[in-house]
Amino acid sequence: MEREQSRHSLRSRRRLVADLGSPAPALRRAQSVPAAGTAPPLPPLAVIVLNRLAFGPRPADIAAFNNLGPNDDARLTAWVDQQLNPGAITDPNADARIAAAGYVTLDKSRTELWDEHFVNAPDFSFRALPFEETERVTMLRMVYSRRQLLEVMTDFWHNHFNVYGRHGIVLPMMVHYDRDVIRGNVFGNFRQMLEDVGRSTAMLYYLDNYTSSNAGPNENYSRELFEIHAMGRENYLGVRQQNEVPTDGMGRPIGYVDADVYEATRCFTGWTVSNSSSDTTVGNTGAFYYRADWHDRFQKTVLGEFIPADQPALKDGEDVYDALAAHPGTGRYIAGKLCRRLIGENAPQSIIDQAAALFTAQAAAPDQLKQVVRTIILSDAFKNTWGGRVKRPTEIAAGTMRTTRANLPFRMGESDTSTLLGYLRDAGHRLFYWPAPDGYSDDKDDWMSATPRVGAWRVCNWLTDVTDDGGVHRMNVVGETPAGVRSANALADYWINRILGRPMTAASRQEVVEFMAAGRNPDLDLPLDTSETTEDRLRSMIGLIVLAPDFLWS
């Protein structure tokens, strides 16, 4: 009888997986996605914080947040100030998992990465190892680190300053780009970050500036510097003379034109990499290298700033970074992107303006980005907005692992880790795989289409079911369920609250209960500890909850 029930349950689960081309029927009627312009109900603040400023709550996180102060404002302020000081947060679980994973490239210097994984790499897999380990440790930190805001903002800046991780030179240098360039500036100064990105080996190759010389200037980097990294397309005024651009009250041009891009390109000529394969006189360290003989030494004008001829080494490019970082258009563009990520795509203009003004006023502050992020998070708009963005497939997978405390090692060569990354690739959201300079989108509509939704559902169903080499489930649903929780009603309520942090609608809850009860009285205890069929059904029930639209919002 037990064996027959098990086969029946397995067939049900297979049907569920097979049905993933459309939302699970049990939930589709009651939990249709709100129409455009219709926001879902506002959840408790802890749920907003832990789903938008983190990759989802682990079981004790909501209670810990609620113990931080007497009211929401005090709790939010305390949580944010903790997270904005990540070096003071102990992280033993993540540290132990990173040590156990046995990564071998994460502590190597830029020169060591270049020498060992590019110049002298014995094969392609060794060359790609720094990228592969960066991808895995990033996922590991998303799931297991306590420094969640650091991970969220690292993800944001990686997409803002996107490089394609599978690029031939980025592969060996990805550790340096992630550790020293992105993570090293997450809560620091934007001007510094802008230059660190521009000098990084990864960006110099990805956008071709390493080839740019007075004899053959290459505008790829300078174009993206203006359009994506600094001022954004919203401040692009097209093809016109620089002296035709209107100015603001401070005498600065209100936007940029093609001529600014061309002039900036001349400023960055000679910014290249120490690589003896192209010239034996420049060394072979993979570090940033300035070639004075390649630099266009004559005068230029960028954003109304006159740049005289024959300035000291690097000064022309540094002047461009100074002008871009101080321009109010950059403040508005970066503030708008930060508000879209931290609040949602319909963030009020008032908070964007407030963040932009602070960004510009604090342009020289070493903690400029920390100040701006804190201002956005502590705004009323942050607390009173929900559903302005949706989780992307990697965020859904990380959130599912966090809330269920799934155990995945993220080791090189470990098959389940590779399977997970393959699912995320198929869902269109594998980390560092976006080939274009604009990074993965944060627009809600881009992630509501069939491919990412179906891909995310497949990831979640795989996670509920996968076992390690010893046959132990990665998601220990029986061990994670309290001993006194055994009826269909109790199981549904426990896991709905644990995963969502709030109730479902009555109709949706009833669907979950009926699925778990499978025709039995929902108040009677189920044999969860002794029946594989019941355990199997609980896994499917958890899968249904994480597939629900309620889990999608952030």
Side-chain angles (χ1 to χ4, degrees), residues 50-52 54-58 61 148 391 395 398-399 402-403:
L50 295 167
N51 281 279
R52 199 184 298 155
F55 289 98
R58 288 173 66 81
D61 286 355
Q148 284 286 288
K391 296 172 185 169
E395 297 168 44
R402 285 179 63 78
T403 192

Side-chain angles (χ1 to χ4, degrees), residues 26-34 39-44 47-48 51-52 56-57 386-387 389-391 396 448 453 457 495-509 511-512 543-554:
L27 296 179
R28 185 167 49 188
R29 293 194 305 274
Q31 286 210 275
S32 58
V33 176
L42 193 68
V47 174
I48 297 174
N51 281 279
R52 199 184 298 155
W386 181 246
R389 72 181 299 273
V390 297
K391 296 172 185 169
I396 292 172
M448 296 295 283
R453 294 294 296 124
W457 296 338
W495 279 101
I496 288 171
N497 184 65
R498 175 161 165 172
I499 293 170
L500 303 178
R502 61 196 187 282
M504 285 178 140
T505 64
S508 296
R509 175 190 175 277
E511 299 276 6
V512 175
L544 285 175
I545 298 170
V546 298
L547 299 184
D550 296 90
F551 192 67
L552 186 63
W553 307 118
S554 72

Side-chain angles (χ1 to χ4, degrees), residues 61 69 97 133 192 199 267 286 314 321 352 388 403 419 437 462 482 490 519:
D61 286 355
R97 288 176 175 274
E133 292 193 344
Q192 183 63 53
R199 286 172 173 244
C267 291
L314 304 174
Y321 288 135
I352 297 175
T403 192
T419 300
W462 175 79

Side-chain angles (χ1 to χ4, degrees), residues 133-201:
E133 292 193 344
T134 300
E135 181 187 27
R136 282 160 176 76
V137 77
T138 302
M139 284 292 305
L140 186 156
R141 287 170 171 145
M142 285 178 171
V143 176
Y144 299 111
S145 177
R146 297 178 66 223
R147 299 160 184 157
Q148 284 286 288
L149 184 57
L150 172 64
E151 297 309 312
V152 167
M153 297 313 301
T154 296
D155 179 67
F156 171 84
W157 288 113
H158 260 298
N159 282 291
H160 182 79
F161 291 112
N162 187 58
V163 294
Y164 176 49
R166 302 299 297 181
H167 181 286
I169 301 295
V170 176
L171 283 169
M173 306 309 291
M174 195 65 183
V175 166
H176 167 258
Y177 193 67
D178 173 71
R179 180 192 62 207
D180 302 330
V181 178
I182 299 299
R183 291 180 180 274
N185 290 290
V186 163
F187 295 133
N189 177 269
F190 182 75
R191 161 67 179 79
Q192 183 63 53
M193 185 183 241
L194 207 56
E195 182 166 347
D196 286 353
V197 169
R199 286 172 173 244
S200 70
T201 312

Side-chain angles (χ1 to χ4, degrees), residues 230-231 234 324-336 352 355-357 359-360:
M231 296 182 70
E234 65 196 44
L324 285 169
H327 196 284
T330 299
R332 291 191 297 271
Y333 169 61
I334 299 298
I352 297 175
F359 183 98
T360 303

Side-chain angles (χ1 to χ4, degrees), residues 52-261:
R52 199 184 298 155
L53 306 182
F55 289 98
R58 288 173 66 81
D61 286 355
I62 289 179
F65 177 88
N66 289 331
N67 287 331
L68 287 174
N71 54 55
D72 275 351
D73 285 343
R75 290 188 279 267
L76 179 60
T77 300
W79 190 91
V80 168
D81 286 342
Q82 284 180 0
Q83 291 288 320
L84 286 174
N85 190 16
I89 300 174
T90 58
D91 209 6
N93 185 24
D95 291 344
R97 288 176 175 274
I98 291 170
Y103 303 123
V104 297
T105 69
L106 302 186
D107 293 328
K108 292 185 178 181
S109 68
R110 172 155 67 170
T111 299
E112 289 172 328
L113 293 166
W114 179 265
D115 182 61
E116 297 172 19
H117 294 274
F118 177 61
V119 177
N120 296 303
D123 52 39
F124 180 80
S125 62
F126 195 76
R127 179 174 182 164
L129 190 58
F131 167 80
E132 304 279 3
E133 292 193 344
T134 300
E135 181 187 27
R136 282 160 176 76
V137 77
T138 302
M139 284 292 305
L140 186 156
R141 287 170 171 145
M142 285 178 171
V143 176
Y144 299 111
S145 177
R146 297 178 66 223
R147 299 160 184 157
Q148 284 286 288
L149 184 57
L150 172 64
E151 297 309 312
V152 167
M153 297 313 301
T154 296
D155 179 67
F156 171 84
W157 288 113
H158 260 298
N159 282 291
H160 182 79
F161 291 112
N162 187 58
V163 294
Y164 176 49
R166 302 299 297 181
H167 181 286
I169 301 295
V170 176
L171 283 169
M173 306 309 291
M174 195 65 183
V175 166
H176 167 258
Y177 193 67
D178 173 71
R179 180 192 62 207
D180 302 330
V181 178
I182 299 299
R183 291 180 180 274
N185 290 290
V186 163
F187 295 133
N189 177 269
F190 182 75
R191 161 67 179 79
Q192 183 63 53
M193 185 183 241
L194 207 56
E195 182 166 347
D196 286 353
V197 169
R199 286 172 173 244
S200 70
T201 312
M203 189 61 77
L204 282 162
Y205 273 94
Y206 175 60
L207 290 179
D208 303 318
N209 202 69
Y210 78 102
T211 69
S212 192
S213 69
N214 47 10
N218 188 317
E219 74 169 82
N220 284 359
Y221 170 66
S222 294
R223 176 70 64 181
E224 307 305 356
L225 174 65
F226 277 77
E227 290 192 356
I228 295 176
H229 298 172
M231 296 182 70
R233 296 186 184 95
E234 65 196 44
N235 289 293
Y236 175 55
L237 302 180
V239 180
R240 66 172 80 175
Q241 297 298 313
Q242 288 172 302
N243 59 12
E244 295 174 349
V245 177
T247 57
D248 62 15
M250 303 290 289
R252 297 169 298 210
I254 61 171
Y256 66 93
V257 295
D258 280 356
D260 290 302
V261 174

Side-chain angles (χ1 to χ4, degrees), residues 282-299:
V282 302
N284 198 20
T285 67
F288 173 79
Y289 189 90
Y290 177 71
R291 291 195 60 152
D293 58 327
W294 280 20
H295 184 65
D296 182 335
R297 50 179 281 265
F298 298 108
Q299 67 184 47

